[in-house]
Amino acid sequence: MSVIENRFEPGVLVTSLDTVINWARRSSLWPMTFGLACCAIEMMCTGFARYDLDRFGSGAFRATPRQSDLMVVAGTVTHLMASRVKLLYEQMAEPKYVISMGSCANAGGPYWEHGYSVLKGVDKIIPVDVYVTGCPPRPEALLDALLYLQNRVIKGRTIARGKAPIFGGGV
Amino acid sequence: MDIDSIADRLSSLFPGSVRGIEKEHAGDPFLVMDPARLVEVCMHLRDDQEMRFEWLMCLSGVDYPPETIAVVYHIHSQTHGQKLVLKVLLARSEPRVPSVESVWKMANFHERECYDMFGVDFEGHPDLRRILLPEDWEGHPLRKDYVYPESYRGVTNKA
Amino acid sequence: MAQDMKPIAQDLHTEEMLISMGPQHPSTHGVLRLELTTDGEVVRNVRPFIGYLHRCFEKHAEKVGFTGVIPYTDRMDYLAAMNNNHGYVITVEKLLGLEVPERGEYIRVIMAELQRIASHLAAFGTFANDLGAVTPLLYAFREREKIMDIFEMACGARLTYNYYRIGGLSGDLTPEMLAAVRSFLDYFEPKLKEYDDLLSYNKIFIERTAGVGVIPLAMAANYGITGPNLRASGTSWDIRRNDPYSIYDRLEFDIPTGRGLKGEVGDCWDRYMVRMWEMRECVRILRQCLAQIPEGEYINPKTPKAIRPPKGEVYVRVENPRGELGYYLVSDGKPNLYRLKVRSPCFTQLGVLPAITDGVMLADLVAIVGSLDIVLGEVDR
């Protein structure tokens, strides 16, 4: 039992600094507008009226990587685009997260077999936190992935050194 | 004007430009043309009052190993409401044909794509470089004997 | 605008800048890179660089069999997936000599026209968004959700449908689905007036788009521009009317053209308004289809299980919301096709960009690119 138990009136919240910072972080994961192909349209639908990404705090899409926390790789990454994806990922400030949306970003998608210019999964060049399956995934699937990511963020470390360990697979 | 009368007219105005008419297959008949005189024939097809083929609908390459690469031109006249298909057959080892970009500006991008995918050299094209693949890509992918690269710039191409 | 700058800038020595707009950019509608040479805010030269989404469609088409190509056609122009499917199956049917039953044709046209409305809504919304007006985008996608509900009822998917088959379709439309289409049309028709009130005649919107990016008709023909962009330049060329396919010759609809009402013929405002007027015509076509659709088969019962057209080649074109989508198919009698070339309207239209952008301001360039309505999946295939 801690010393400060039952010593304050209702209305005073006691928590750890980690939890507060993580709560702020997970409630305002601002994505970067990184739609590449068809999945981008479903990402846009997720952001708009019916599926409303903004109620989870992720409604402010930033065009510049410097101001965003989350990169949703929505669409096929080609070899030509790969260097740009890596550059943009490196330009994002820590803590940063990546959601790989759709089959193409997961593993090359329907182009895995004969696509000579298609990168077979964006995890070949950048680390991915959550994979969303589908071609394209429904907006509900992307929302589910975002909530999963938010749950991971709230359990992560902030002041202590090192990145949080990665558990589990995709959605 | 049907395809036979167009072929006759072109043969009389530009002797040797029409090498043959192919009609024995399913689908659209086409004229096999001589690459050397292609640009002046196309200019005539575009400007002659009875033909007026103002539109180039499509320009494609087709690979017929082991010896031939064909470039196919689909043209269309809005004034007279007729279509025509022209084909040039090129040597696969060194495919070279004059560019029709001076006749139809639309050919600019399509010829670059044909160069990218098949390696056809379009003489007289103002800016012949790869369009769909990186500049340092090796090989021409739509050829039938194309070998997939194992990796590109250090990133593996395997699934 | 550029002329007003001249007196101030006349005595200043300026250098030209090389700016790379894209491939990641909020206003380029996808992964398009434009290399701009600018003198301050005035653009001197534009060089489009594409290929950032080259997904080897034509190579896949040679490997997956005739029916297997259909899902790949969805993903080319992902905002007009039904029309892409339509074009491809018509091409194969022409080579096979296969007829589609009447009900199948009507359902195909219903789906194609609904997709045309959805595509023009996306174009309208994103164009307005590029210019700074965010509200129309939300309205457009609200309407699109209703259309996607209908598509989901018919074939189970929201964006890439794989609905058409060689010889017909993969499934029938039930009376509930047809009623859903009818109620959508009743809901949607008044919305078009709402969009006009909100955006089309707005003074700021007109200032930004009228007289900007004029494409004269002769230039449009030479550069191979088709679709609403061509019709905005003053001609009423529409493949559904002039080279009809399916059952379009039985349907009555007007072809809207640009008339230069606010600026010059063929400017950005004309291209935008042609799309708005076309949506009205789509509603007209859909009402006629709903009235005329017969009972019957939705797919030809004599469609062979193994699709193997005879040796030959054919070129067929359809009216995509973005222009003339052509498929050049070469078959050598085998189970896989020999060559499939897609004549993509957006790929062709990008070629005109360097010709119409000399001396425009950077903001005008955004309006011009938005008004051309490009989808990079189709440009790069």
Side-chain angles (χ1 to χ4, degrees):
Chain A
M1 286 295 178
S2 78
V3 171
I4 54 175
E5 199 87 11
N6 293 323
R7 293 285 286 270
F8 297 106
E9 323 79 65
V12 176
L13 193 67
V14 174
T15 178
S16 69
L17 196 57
D18 260 356
T19 313
V20 169
I21 293 180
N22 280 337
W23 172 64
R25 275 189 184 156
R26 74 114 186 241
S27 311
S28 66
L29 284 169
W30 286 1
M32 184 165 66
T33 57
F34 203 55
L36 298 170
C38 346
C39 284
I41 308 295
E42 286 295 52
M43 184 170 68
M44 286 160 66
C45 284
T46 317
F48 291 144
R50 190 185 274 190
Y51 298 102
D52 198 11
L53 205 51
D54 202 7
R55 59 196 156 125
F56 301 109
S58 294
F61 279 80
R62 313 306 295 161
T64 164
R66 307 281 186 195
Q67 295 169 6
S68 45
D69 309 297
L70 174 63
M71 182 196 240
V72 181
V73 183
T76 323
V77 185
T78 56
H79 283 296
L80 191 55
M81 194 65 196
S83 53
R84 277 75 171 179
V85 174
K86 193 151 188 341
L87 185 66
L88 287 165
Y89 177 73
E90 284 162 3
Q91 285 180 342
M92 286 165 72
E94 291 277 353
K96 53 191 175 187
Y97 305 94
V98 175
I99 293 183
S100 162
M101 178 181 178
S103 302
C104 289
N106 290 349
Y111 310 101
W112 69 274
E113 204 180 357
H114 305 293
Y116 41 83
S117 65
V118 171
L119 190 67
K120 312 294 188 292
V122 76
D123 54 3
K124 298 220 179 326
I125 46 173
I126 57 177
V128 172
D129 292 292
V130 189
Y131 297 83
V132 191
T133 52
C135 188
R138 287 190 62 103
E140 289 97 327
L142 184 60
L143 287 174
D144 196 16
L146 183 69
L147 293 174
Y148 180 85
L149 183 65
Q150 286 185 348
N151 283 338
R152 285 257 308 280
V153 170
I154 199 105
K155 297 190 183 94
R157 281 176 274 183
T158 52
I159 315 287
R161 237 170 259 147
K163 242 181 121 101
I166 296 176
F167 296 113
V171 183
Chain B
M1 292 183 73
D2 68 333
I3 193 167
D4 292 300
S5 29
I6 294 180
D8 290 334
R9 172 79 69 84
L10 291 175
S11 297
S12 58
L13 285 168
F14 304 96
S17 57
V18 180
R19 286 193 182 157
I21 311 179
E22 293 282 337
K23 291 192 275 198
E24 300 307 316
H25 53 262
D28 307 328
F30 56 86
L31 294 176
V32 182
M33 311 294 289
D34 175 22
R37 311 200 64 180
L38 189 64
V39 180
E40 47 181 341
V41 169
C42 287
M43 202 71 91
H44 176 85
L45 284 168
R46 189 192 69 179
D47 297 330
D48 177 73
Q49 286 310 309
E50 278 185 40
M51 300 205 214
R52 289 294 284 146
F53 286 102
E54 317 99 329
W55 291 86
L56 174 65
M57 290 194 290
C58 183
L59 195 163
S60 8
V62 191
D63 188 23
Y64 293 107
E67 279 165 23
T68 321
I69 286 186
V71 180
V72 189
Y73 303 80
H74 287 85
I75 58 180
H76 162 72
S77 167
Q78 187 176 344
T79 325
H80 300 294
Q82 64 183 23
K83 301 181 201 164
L84 183 63
V85 185
L86 308 171
K87 219 186 240 206
V88 285
L89 301 174
L90 312 169
R92 197 162 183 268
S93 50
E94 228 190 308
R96 190 171 294 152
V97 71
S99 160
V100 295
E101 198 260 351
S102 49
V103 184
W104 298 288
K105 287 258 178 296
M106 180 203 139
N108 192 321
F109 271 29
H110 285 253
E111 285 180 349
R112 279 178 64 186
E113 186 195 334
C114 198
Y115 164 70
D116 196 356
M117 295 284 125
F118 290 94
V120 177
D121 182 17
F122 289 91
E123 293 162 343
H125 191 281
D127 187 18
L128 195 65
R129 55 192 163 89
R130 287 192 185 266
I131 191 169
L132 293 177
L133 288 169
E135 296 279 330
D136 57 353
W137 195 268
E138 281 171 19
H140 299 285
L142 280 177
R143 290 200 176 196
K144 296 288 179 189
D145 55 359
Y146 180 66
V147 173
Y148 286 81
E150 294 274 316
S151 68
Y152 173 71
R153 286 204 188 172
V155 183
T156 171
N157 213 3
K158 285 206 193 335
Chain C
M1 323 246 170
Q3 290 84 3
D4 297 339
M5 293 288 290
K6 271 286 183 237
I8 307 168
Q10 218 150 11
D11 300 322
L12 289 173
H13 171 70
T14 53
E15 297 279 348
E16 287 189 343
M17 283 192 287
L18 192 69
I19 303 179
S20 182
M21 184 171 157
Q24 188 260 348
H25 191 280
S27 303
T28 53
H29 294 262
V31 282
L32 169 69
R33 175 166 162 245
L34 297 173
E35 203 180 75
L36 313 174
T37 314
T38 67
D39 176 13
E41 193 73 13
V42 175
V43 173
R44 287 276 162 246
N45 190 21
V46 173
R47 285 173 94 205
F49 283 81
I50 55 178
Y52 292 91
L53 199 55
H54 180 58
R55 294 183 283 190
C56 332
F57 167 75
E58 295 176 1
K59 194 77 178 179
H60 281 88
E62 295 172 11
K63 310 268 188 191
V64 295
F66 284 89
T67 313
V69 177
I70 301 175
Y72 289 94
T73 59
D74 278 326
R75 288 154 174 81
M76 277 199 305
D77 179 355
Y78 34 84
L79 288 174
M82 292 284 192
N83 302 83
N84 290 10
N85 279 357
H86 198 178
Y88 172 71
V89 294
I90 291 184
T91 311
V92 181
E93 284 157 10
K94 187 164 177 195
L95 205 53
L96 271 176
L98 196 62
E99 292 255 324
V100 178
E102 262 206 49
R103 186 178 172 86
E105 292 279 24
Y106 272 95
I107 299 178
R108 280 184 175 183
V109 169
I110 290 176
M111 290 290 143
E113 293 304 312
L114 275 175
Q115 181 72 85
R116 196 182 308 274
I117 295 179
S119 172
H120 284 331
L121 279 170
F124 144 72
T126 50
F127 184 43
N129 192 35
D130 287 345
L131 299 179
V134 182
T135 313
L137 183 59
L138 293 155
Y139 286 10
F141 273 76
R142 176 190 64 186
E143 265 61 278
R144 264 183 67 96
E145 289 288 338
K146 296 204 162 31
I147 298 181
M148 291 213 256
D149 281 343
I150 298 175
F151 286 154
E152 201 179 344
M153 275 197 265
C155 58
R158 282 168 47 97
L159 194 71
T160 48
Y161 313 108
N162 192 15
Y163 184 47
Y164 291 50
R165 291 286 179 274
I166 296 165
L169 301 142
S170 68
D172 204 353
L173 288 188
T174 61
E176 289 81 31
M177 296 179 204
L178 293 173
V181 176
R182 197 168 287 118
S183 69
F184 167 73
L185 292 175
D186 294 333
Y187 160 82
F188 179 63
E189 226 171 335
K191 299 289 180 203
L192 288 165
K193 170 141 192 335
E194 204 178 287
Y195 302 150
D196 276 343
D197 291 339
L198 183 63
L199 186 70
S200 313
Y201 297 102
N202 179 298
K203 185 173 192 309
I204 303 176
F205 183 70
I206 294 175
E207 293 268 326
R208 283 211 61 184
T209 53
V212 171
V214 177
I215 303 181
L217 189 55
M219 181 193 275
N222 207 280
Y223 277 89
I225 297 182
T226 47
N229 294 334
L230 173 68
R231 291 194 277 281
S233 294
T235 180
S236 67
W237 175 259
D238 186 326
I239 294 171
R240 296 173 293 168
R241 172 64 50 77
N242 299 92
D243 193 4
Y245 54 97
S246 194
I247 42 140
Y248 281 107
D249 44 3
R250 292 184 221 175
L251 301 167
E252 274 183 34
F253 54 99
D254 293 325
I255 312 285
T257 60
R259 299 193 288 269
L261 292 173
K262 294 290 172 193
E264 277 181 65
V265 178
D267 58 13
C268 291
W269 193 83
D270 269 347
R271 287 193 279 278
Y272 159 83
M273 274 320 278
V274 164
R275 293 192 178 99
M276 303 306 284
W277 292 327
E278 269 189 20
M279 284 201 271
R280 287 177 171 77
E281 299 304 318
C282 289
V283 172
R284 231 173 115 187
I285 293 176
L286 282 164
R287 288 203 194 279
Q288 291 171 55
C289 285
L290 288 174
Q292 296 174 16
I293 183 169
E295 296 297 322
E297 302 271 351
Y298 60 90
I299 188 166
N300 188 336
K302 293 206 190 66
T303 309
K305 282 233 179 316
I307 308 279
R308 257 186 140 159
K311 211 167 164 186
E313 52 182 73
V314 73
Y315 178 80
V316 174
R317 51 190 185 161
V318 293
E319 182 76 21
N320 214 23
R322 285 169 183 78
E324 168 187 326
L325 177 68
Y327 285 89
Y328 171 55
L329 176 65
V330 180
S331 155
D332 60 348
K334 299 223 178 72
N336 285 344
L337 54 85
Y338 192 78
R339 170 86 167 102
L340 180 67
K341 152 92 186 193
V342 177
R343 186 263 190 218
S344 149
C346 303
F347 177 71
T348 317
Q349 278 157 194
L350 262 186
V352 84
L353 211 52
I356 53 172
T357 47
D358 184 25
V360 303
M361 307 281 268
L362 212 55
D364 294 333
L365 179 67
V366 170
I368 294 172
V369 171
S371 72
L372 284 179
D373 189 18
I374 326 171
V375 166
L376 267 298
E378 184 171 57
V379 171
D380 292 334
R381 277 153 286 143

